[in-house]
Amino acid sequence: MNIKKVIENDFEEKLYISKIDEVLNYLHTFSSATFFEIVRRVGGSERRMLRLLDEMVNDGAIYFKNNKFYLSTISNYKSYLCPICNGKRVYTNEYDVSQLEEVFNNKPVPTLLFDQRPVTLETTINRVLYMLSNNDVNNKNIVFLGDDDLTSLALAFYDKSISITVLDVDKRLIEYINKMSKKYELNIEAYTFDVTDTLKDEFRGKFDVVMTDPTPEALPFTIFMNTCINLLKKEGIIYTSIYSSAMEKDITLQRIITDMNLYITDIIPNFTEYQSLKGLFSKSDLELLKKYNITINSKSICFTESLFRMIKSRDTHTIKVSYKLEDIYGKAQKRAIKDKKNDLVTSDYLTSVYDIYNIKDDKIRISE
């Protein structure tokens, strides 16, 4: 098997070699699986897993029939995950999505300029329901540090009395959230905020709960966690998503959480599901989608992350870090800054976005 046909960067080779055994083990356990079941339970990014499965089919390790992948052996095992929530502990059946769907579908197009990667609408709703189920909403002052997934609006639609603040670097997103808040008479106030800037006193120590979804790399994750700690009162709750199924696992982010004296109360695997974006598929990838009769829509997933719930106590503290602005960019963000053709949307649209944020010398200059 030629793993070079699967990966896009050499550092991915170890991960996707390990996925071969994981796919075989999963199919040995459960006999068969659809493409997105494999992406959800085995991991990896959807484009690379599509190529990997194709290589495994071509190699004769597995076969494809009736829209499922199989081993030649038949298993008696079955999954005992809750068929309603699929292990997430909440389900969306009773959430009225009618208003939110329209708002969600008309939000600003995501840009890798700010490392935005949209989650599915179901994930946005599940986040709200999980917070509600943990008694982290009633009589709480809630802030979203970055909210391109519009969880703030999903929460406000559920209960218009909840006090919600949104801080985000994307001016388009802030304008949109404020516009929707006014239109639907929601209790949301959204402000433009660059996490590399000093937090204003009016936000410091004001909130009971913060939700954020930063780049899952040590430096940007630390900066976002520092800001979360500063946003919260002496005690408070942090929600975030880390441990991407498309990345090798290590203890780095967990060590940062421990060093900050944050207490992890909940870890829900595969809770956060990121949308699959057809615009990122190459021509050969699109041919594989057709070969395996796979349809990409708003419910299709690219990869997953675990939902973390953490408690700030009186012993919690920030970690001092020094950095240059370009040090905190994620891999996809770096590619987009270098060449806007690598972004998620069309070049005509991106021209206006990149003009707004004054992209020069491969750097974002938001604060100027």
Side-chain angles (χ1 to χ4, degrees):
M1 183 182 301
N2 187 357
I3 200 68
K4 296 296 184 183
K5 291 184 178 180
V6 174
I7 61 176
E8 296 179 6
N9 302 283
D10 288 342
F11 63 79
E12 299 172 334
E13 183 170 345
K14 181 180 176 182
L15 174 63
Y16 286 94
I17 288 176
S18 72
K19 292 301 176 188
I20 297 171
D21 284 338
E22 291 183 43
V23 169
L24 292 173
N25 186 56
Y26 189 86
L27 292 179
H28 179 76
T29 303
F30 300 112
S31 295
S32 66
T34 65
F35 171 67
F36 285 113
E37 284 174 344
I38 291 174
V39 172
R40 181 174 283 109
R41 299 302 172 193
V42 176
S45 83
E46 92 283 45
R47 302 192 311 281
R48 294 163 182 81
M49 290 304 291
L50 177 63
R51 300 168 204 153
L52 180 67
L53 290 170
D54 184 58
E55 287 294 304
M56 293 177 72
V57 169
N58 293 338
D59 200 48
I62 61 176
Y63 69 94
F64 181 77
K65 182 180 179 181
N66 297 329
N67 296 326
K68 286 190 174 184
F69 294 91
Y70 293 82
L71 279 180
S72 57
T73 57
I74 302 299
S75 171
N76 293 321
Y77 289 99
K78 64 178 182 178
S79 174
Y80 290 93
L81 284 174
C82 171
I84 299 176
C85 75
N86 279 316
K88 292 180 170 61
R89 295 179 60 187
V90 292
Y91 59 97
T92 60
N93 300 40
E94 297 182 11
Y95 186 101
D96 182 5
V97 300
S98 54
Q99 283 184 318
L100 186 59
E101 275 186 317
E102 182 180 355
V103 169
F104 200 83
N105 291 334
N106 290 306
K107 68 179 179 179
V109 180
T111 170
L112 293 178
L113 180 62
F114 301 128
D115 210 23
Q116 293 172 350
R117 190 61 186 260
V119 301
T120 61
L121 177 59
E122 183 177 2
T123 293
T124 292
I125 296 170
N126 280 337
R127 285 172 169 173
V128 168
L129 300 180
Y130 200 90
M131 294 170 70
L132 287 162
S133 299
N134 275 286
N135 195 31
D136 291 336
V137 171
N138 189 43
N139 293 321
K140 305 292 186 182
N141 203 0
I142 299 172
V143 60
F144 292 86
L145 183 58
D147 191 28
D148 55 292
D149 301 316
L150 303 185
T151 312
S152 60
L153 288 169
L155 180 58
F157 279 133
Y158 187 91
D159 184 348
K160 291 186 177 182
S161 69
I162 300 169
S163 175
I164 300 171
T165 300
V166 176
L167 304 176
D168 198 291
V169 71
D170 192 339
K171 299 174 185 177
R172 304 167 307 140
L173 192 64
I174 294 302
E175 291 173 359
Y176 185 72
I177 291 174
N178 281 328
K179 181 180 178 181
M180 293 301 102
S181 179
K182 183 178 180 180
K183 178 179 178 179
Y184 294 103
E185 298 181 334
L186 306 175
N187 192 15
I188 301 177
E189 293 183 349
Y191 303 90
T192 304
F193 173 67
D194 179 354
V195 75
T196 64
D197 287 342
T198 302
L199 187 65
K200 293 181 179 179
D201 289 340
E202 62 186 284
F203 300 128
R204 191 177 292 271
K206 177 182 178 181
F207 303 96
D208 301 290
V209 181
V210 57
M211 178 171 283
T212 192
D213 192 359
T215 301
E217 297 176 14
L219 185 54
F221 182 76
T222 301
I223 294 167
F224 270 80
M225 287 298 103
N226 279 345
T227 305
C228 287
I229 290 169
N230 289 329
L231 285 165
L232 290 173
K233 299 174 182 177
K234 290 183 178 180
E235 297 180 353
I237 305 296
I238 298 175
Y239 281 93
T240 193
S241 294
I242 54 176
Y243 290 175
S244 167
S245 63
M247 297 171 63
E248 283 194 81
K249 303 295 187 294
D250 64 45
I251 201 170
T252 303
L253 302 186
Q254 182 176 326
R255 183 171 285 119
I256 293 168
I257 292 169
T258 300
D259 289 347
M260 289 178 164
N261 283 340
L262 288 164
Y263 176 68
I264 301 171
T265 64
D266 305 29
I267 304 177
I268 311 298
N270 304 318
F271 185 98
T272 305
E273 299 184 345
Y274 293 86
Q275 276 186 350
S276 181
L277 301 168
K278 200 169 183 178
L280 294 179
F281 284 75
S282 67
K283 183 178 179 179
S284 59
D285 290 336
L286 293 174
E287 291 172 355
L288 289 179
L289 289 177
K290 186 176 181 180
K291 176 180 178 179
Y292 293 105
N293 195 28
I294 299 169
T295 301
I296 302 297
N297 56 39
S298 61
K299 294 183 179 180
S300 303
I301 66 169
C302 174
F303 61 93
T304 69
E305 288 185 347
S306 298
L307 179 71
F308 273 60
R309 180 183 183 271
M310 297 169 282
I311 293 177
K312 174 190 175 183
S313 70
R314 295 177 185 272
D315 296 323
T316 300
H317 57 81
T318 58
I319 295 176
K320 187 175 181 180
V321 289
S322 59
Y323 58 92
K324 296 178 181 178
L325 187 58
E326 54 267 32
D327 294 338
I328 69 170
Y329 300 154
K331 295 181 181 70
Q333 194 174 8
K334 288 176 181 176
R335 292 196 299 269
I337 293 169
K338 189 172 184 179
D339 186 346
K340 62 187 178 185
K341 293 179 182 178
N342 294 320
D343 212 320
L344 304 180
V345 292
T346 65
S347 58
D348 288 342
Y349 176 81
L350 274 176
T351 298
S352 62
V353 177
Y354 277 54
D355 286 345
I356 291 172
Y357 294 104
N358 193 17
I359 304 300
K360 294 178 181 177
D361 306 323
D362 292 348
K363 293 180 176 61
I364 304 176
R365 304 176 185 276
I366 301 164
S367 301
E368 292 183 355

